[in-house]
């Protein structure tokens, strides 16, 4: 498929298609993994995040989300 056809099918811009294609060609399948996000490092440990989610879910009587992104 052409980059234009891909961009229309996936509802993204052509530059996005070119970026992902370039990463794949340079790094293979590993190049498609998400890159680290810029910004301040996380202040809470994974254990603390899970503890907060558990307590919140108990408070509202909901099942804790699987793979919750905090």
């Amino acid at each position: 498929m052409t980059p234009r056809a891909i961009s229309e099918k996936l509802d993204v811009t052509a530059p996005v298609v070119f970026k992902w294609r370039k990463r794949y060609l340079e790094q293979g399948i590993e190049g498609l993994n998400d890159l680290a996000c810029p910004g301040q490092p996380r202040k809470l440990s994974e254990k603390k995040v899970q503890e907060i989610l558990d307590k919140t879910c108990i408070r509202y009587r909901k099942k804790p989300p699987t793979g919750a992104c905090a």
Side-chain angles (χ1 to χ4, degrees), residues 7-65:
S7 68
E8 288 173 359
K9 183 173 181 138
L10 299 177
D11 196 28
V12 297
T13 63
V16 169
V17 175
F18 285 110
K19 175 184 83 170
W20 285 101
R21 179 182 283 177
K22 181 180 180 205
R23 282 178 57 180
Y24 177 76
L25 291 173
E26 291 174 350
Q27 303 170 33
I29 198 74
E30 291 297 317
L32 301 180
N33 291 327
D34 285 338
L35 298 175
C37 296
Q40 191 174 37
R42 197 173 193 177
K43 293 180 181 177
L44 299 175
S45 68
E46 198 63 40
K47 183 178 177 182
K48 189 66 174 177
V49 169
Q50 190 60 52
E51 180 184 330
I52 292 168
L53 286 172
D54 290 344
K55 286 181 179 181
T56 302
C57 292
I58 289 169
R59 184 176 199 174
Y60 294 102
R61 304 208 186 282
K62 294 181 182 176
K63 183 179 176 185

